[in-house]
């Protein structure tokens, strides 16, 4: 008997019991509004990408959420969008039901209180009424499975009414936005604190209309700016319930001329978001996302496999977007092999990032900042030995590098040419690496192998060449499960299996890199490299 047939055969007696009046319904259902349908949802896990949390709140009994099999506890959570009085929760289980579970509410999505605990349930439909709880978030926490599988819900419906006692009042608009100091690359800001009926929890800082940071205090220093450039800043306040004030009066700030020797700072990483959330202590991508707040980059480079496993749009929305997605507006992404697993290939990646990922209609593109020329590639074109003709991307790349007028060049893509990780050196990357060294590219950033490895400058033959070689760094440790290292080789300057994010400091004619670990410690620092003369 197939797994699906076993599940439905297990469900049949439960349906009969429900028809006979044996469900977990509690008398006295109130005529409340359905609050949860179509609202954002999260879950502690999913069985696969077709059983996401939102399927339990879509109003259809032909779709469902399913957790990882054989693991307790598991939970699913819905954001009602505002505080509400919760009176009723109706759960329509698939065969994999919760025997013991509890219903919880929260105002902030972090601290939950239990409204109702249920034990020895028998699946089918549980219609729990007579509840008394107030919150914006409702969570069902399964503590004991009714089968050997996981937990699976066709529908979870939350009924109640908007709470007149809930916090719907936004903080006052911040005032007094002023500059506390400007350099060629930084702008210091301060403002007067907002007030709120409950309490202000933080402030959004917007540069030219786009949010660039959140500050818990009434000051912030924006970094990675371009010299002799005018920026417009506004600030808005937030409270615990998610209410947001209007934006402050705009402040115009002009940076001083030149680079001040500081240039700009970038963050870079690959192999980022597994299908897990911050509620799982072993989930890494929420932790590496927090490092961005410390690095304060002007832009973020991604070296592929942004989202696991098949990188559907729903995966990006449920996982990547909740952590790294906070910085989407400053990202310059590139795809990996996992982005190609969607059907059609790259669909989720392209729909999530939109024009950010394809500014010229292709998955490869170039951009510039200061004295630097950056090239993002789709290295899936170069990850196979079946090369009957030069890929169109290679023709474009050669022309792009030939036309470049900037003295410093970085390329980034997913599959590394050199690696002492599990996958080893990539022989299919020979032609691509030759283009890197022939054009005197200063730095190549990659992922794919789930470890950190910084190389000495390496020439086309793979030998260390401090004069003519190109530096490659593998930064595939932003969240994916680590791989083991193989034998060391002389071209490697530093390697380790440790989670972290690359911090790149770029000046007019030089660069340095650091690997920042989960505790904000510097795990590795490169020498200062001067950009190679081009032409």
């Amino acid at each position: 008997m197939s797994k699906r047939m076993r599940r439905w055969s297990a469900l049949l007696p439960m349906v009969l019991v429900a028809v006979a009046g044996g469900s977990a319904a509690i008398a006295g259902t109130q005529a409340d509004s359905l609050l949860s349908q179509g609202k954002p949802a999260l879950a502690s896990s999913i069985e696969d990408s077709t059983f996401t949390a939102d399927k339990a709140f879509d109003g259809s009994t032909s779709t469902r959420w399913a957790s990882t099999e054989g693991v307790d506890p598991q939970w699913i959570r819905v954001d009602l969008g505002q505080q509400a009085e919760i009176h009723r929760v109706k759960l329509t289980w698939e065969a994999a039901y919760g025997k013991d579970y509890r219903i919880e509410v929260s105002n902030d999505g972090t601290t939950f209180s239990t409204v109702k605990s249920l034990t020895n349930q028998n699946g089918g439909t549980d219609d729990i009424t007579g509840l008394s709880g107030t919150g914006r978030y409702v969570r069902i926490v399964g503590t004991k499975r009714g089968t050997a599988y996981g937990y699976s819900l066709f529908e979870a419906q939350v009924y109640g009414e908007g709470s007149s006692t809930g916090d719907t009042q936004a903080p006052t608009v911040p005032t007094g936005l002023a500059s506390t100091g400007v350099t060629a690359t930084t702008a210091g800001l301060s403002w007067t604190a907002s007030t709120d009926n409950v309490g202000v929890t933080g402030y959004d800082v917007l540069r030219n209309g786009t949010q660039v940071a959140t500050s818990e205090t009434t000051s912030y220093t924006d970094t990675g700016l371009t010299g002799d450039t005018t920026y417009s800043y506004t600030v808005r306040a937030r409270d615990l319930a998610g209410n947001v004030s209007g934006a402050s009066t705009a402040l115009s700030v002009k940076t001083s001329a030149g680079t001040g020797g500081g240039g700009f700072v970038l963050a870079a990483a690959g192999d980022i978001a597994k299908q897990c959330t911050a509620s799982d202590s072993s989930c890494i991508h929420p932790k590496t996302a927090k490092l961005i707040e410390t690095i304060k980059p002007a832009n973020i480079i991604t070296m592929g496999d942004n989202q696991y496993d098949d990188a559907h749009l729903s995966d990006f929305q449920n996982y990547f977007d909740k952590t790294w997605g906070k910085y989407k507006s400053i990202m310059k992404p590139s795809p990996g092999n996992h982005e190609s697993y969607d059907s059609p290939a790259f669909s989720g990646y392209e729909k999530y990032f939109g024009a950010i990922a394809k500014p010229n209609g292709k998955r490869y593109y170039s951009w510039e900042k200061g004295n630097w020329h950056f090239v993002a590639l789709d290295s899936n074109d170069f990850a196979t030995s079946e090369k009957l003709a030069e890929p169109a991307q290679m023709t474009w790349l050669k022309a792009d590098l030939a036309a470049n007028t900037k003295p410093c060049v970085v390329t980034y893509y997913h599959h590394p040419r050199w690696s002492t990780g599990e996958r080893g050196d990539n022989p299919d990357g020979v032609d691509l690496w030759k283009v890197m060294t022939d054009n005197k590219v200063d730095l190549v950033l990659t992922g794919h192998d789930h470890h950190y490895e910084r190389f000495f400058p390496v020439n086309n033959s793979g030998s260390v060449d401090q004069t003519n070689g190109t530096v490659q760094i593998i930064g595939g440790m932003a969240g994916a499960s680590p791989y083991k290292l193989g034998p060391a080789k002389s071209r490697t300057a530093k390697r380790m299996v440790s989670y972290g994010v690359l911090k790149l400091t770029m000046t007019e004619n030089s660069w340095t890199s650091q690997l920042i670990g989960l505790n904000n410690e510097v795990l590795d620092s490169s020498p200062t490299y001067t950009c190679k003369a081009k032409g």
Side-chain angles (χ1 to χ4, degrees):
M1 183 182 296
S2 69
K3 177 177 176 181
R4 177 58 53 199
M5 291 177 66
R6 290 198 306 271
R7 285 194 172 187
W8 280 109
S9 63
L11 177 60
L12 196 56
M14 299 171 200
V15 174
L16 294 175
V17 170
V19 171
S23 74
I26 299 173
T29 303
Q30 299 184 17
D32 291 315
S33 299
L34 176 59
L35 304 173
S36 55
Q37 190 163 308
K39 296 301 175 63
L42 289 175
S44 53
S45 69
I46 58 173
E47 183 179 335
D48 64 47
S49 59
T50 62
F51 301 124
T52 51
D54 60 294
K55 300 297 194 300
F57 300 96
D58 62 1
S60 172
T61 54
S62 63
T63 60
R64 62 187 176 94
W65 162 68
S67 73
T68 298
E69 295 186 352
V71 178
D72 286 317
Q74 297 288 336
W75 56 262
I76 184 170
R77 188 196 84 180
V78 64
D79 178 359
L80 303 178
Q82 63 176 344
Q83 284 192 335
E85 295 178 4
I86 310 305
H87 298 147
R88 176 189 176 199
V89 172
K90 183 179 180 181
L91 306 177
T92 305
W93 296 98
E94 193 246 4
Y97 67 96
K99 185 174 183 180
D100 295 352
Y101 60 90
R102 61 181 182 268
I103 299 169
E104 301 177 336
V105 296
S106 171
N107 289 325
D108 59 8
T110 301
T111 303
F112 283 83
S113 59
T114 299
V115 174
K116 182 82 171 181
S117 293
L118 298 100
T119 59
N120 296 318
Q121 301 303 108
N122 61 1
T125 298
D126 292 349
D127 197 350
I128 305 103
T129 61
L131 302 177
S132 180
T134 300
R136 172 175 171 169
Y137 302 86
V138 177
R139 185 168 70 176
I140 295 95
V141 182
T143 55
K144 186 175 182 180
R145 289 165 288 118
T147 70
Y149 302 113
Y151 297 85
S152 183
L153 283 165
F154 287 117
E155 279 295 293
Q157 297 170 304
V158 178
Y159 293 85
E161 57 183 348
S163 175
S164 60
T165 60
D167 181 11
T168 59
Q169 179 177 321
T172 60
V173 175
T175 59
L177 181 60
S179 172
T180 59
V182 177
T183 70
T185 58
T186 66
L189 305 170
S190 68
W191 55 90
T192 302
S194 296
T195 59
D196 184 67
N197 61 320
V198 176
V200 175
T201 57
Y203 299 87
D204 298 336
V205 180
L206 292 83
R207 181 204 309 142
N208 297 336
T210 300
Q211 183 177 339
V212 293
T214 299
S215 175
E216 295 181 357
T217 67
T218 56
S219 63
Y220 176 73
T221 298
D222 195 17
T223 61
L225 305 179
T226 301
D228 197 28
T229 303
T230 299
Y231 297 93
S232 177
Y233 290 95
T234 55
V235 178
R236 60 193 181 199
R238 290 182 175 272
D239 67 15
L240 191 64
N243 300 307
V244 183
S245 76
S248 68
T249 300
L251 172 69
S252 181
V253 172
K254 185 174 183 179
T255 54
S256 55
T259 64
F264 55 91
V265 172
L266 303 175
D271 305 272
I272 300 171
K274 292 181 68 176
Q275 293 178 336
C276 60
T277 62
S279 62
D280 179 354
S281 61
S282 65
C283 190
I284 301 299
H285 66 93
K287 301 175 183 178
T288 54
K290 289 184 179 179
L291 298 177
I292 305 299
E293 298 176 8
T294 301
I295 296 173
K296 295 182 173 63
N299 291 102
I300 299 172
I301 286 170
T302 72
M303 292 89 79
D305 283 5
N306 303 271
Q307 176 63 60
Y308 289 83
D309 282 327
D310 294 340
H312 300 303
L313 177 60
S314 59
D315 297 327
F316 273 102
Q317 292 169 334
N318 290 331
Y319 304 104
F320 184 92
D321 190 61
K322 306 300 182 185
T323 56
W324 283 71
K326 178 180 179 181
Y327 310 103
K328 183 177 176 181
S329 64
I330 60 171
M331 282 186 179
K332 303 289 186 178
S334 67
N337 52 291
H338 276 269
E339 276 81 14
S340 72
Y341 297 162
D342 196 5
S343 181
F346 304 103
S347 175
Y349 171 78
E350 293 177 354
K351 288 179 180 177
Y352 177 74
F353 283 111
I356 294 174
K358 299 178 69 176
N360 59 358
K362 305 291 185 181
R363 286 186 297 276
Y364 46 89
Y365 57 95
S366 61
W367 55 283
E368 293 180 342
K369 192 172 186 67
N371 273 358
W372 288 82
H373 183 74
F374 297 89
V375 183
L377 299 176
D378 174 9
S379 60
N380 292 284
D381 275 358
F382 311 106
T384 174
S385 58
E386 299 177 2
K387 299 184 179 73
L388 302 180
E390 178 174 284
Q393 183 177 185
M394 181 69 86
T395 303
W396 172 88
L397 173 63
K398 291 177 179 178
D400 179 87
L401 291 175
N404 168 52
T405 60
K406 298 293 185 180
C408 304
V409 179
V410 174
T411 64
Y412 57 99
Y413 45 87
H414 190 57
H415 301 82
R417 171 65 181 98
W418 313 107
S419 176
T420 62
E422 285 189 8
R423 293 185 170 98
D425 296 338
N426 175 24
D428 297 325
V430 171
D431 293 343
L432 182 58
W433 189 256
K434 186 176 187 303
V435 173
M436 300 297 107
T437 55
D438 285 353
N439 287 273
K440 299 181 180 179
V441 170
D442 297 285
L443 174 63
V444 172
L445 301 170
T446 66
H448 197 45
D449 258 352
H450 301 175
H451 71 282
Y452 169 79
E453 189 165 9
R454 176 172 57 83
F455 293 83
F456 294 113
V458 175
N459 61 24
N460 189 46
S461 66
S463 300
V464 175
D465 186 338
Q466 296 287 353
T467 302
N468 300 308
T470 294
V471 175
Q472 178 194 272
I473 300 178
I474 299 175
M477 287 297 292
S481 299
Y483 291 165
K484 295 179 181 179
L485 294 175
K489 295 184 179 180
S490 59
R491 67 174 69 99
T492 298
K494 182 76 172 182
R495 64 178 191 161
M496 65 182 72
V497 178
S498 185
Y499 291 112
V501 173
L502 286 172
K503 177 182 179 181
L504 305 169
T505 302
M506 330 300 275
T507 72
E508 286 183 320
N509 61 357
S510 67
W511 65 273
T512 58
S513 70
Q514 294 178 317
L515 175 63
I516 309 299
L518 295 183
N519 294 320
N520 285 311
E521 72 274 32
V522 177
L523 301 179
D524 179 48
S525 295
S526 76
T528 297
Y529 285 101
T530 300
C531 299
K532 294 186 286 292
K534 306 298 188 287

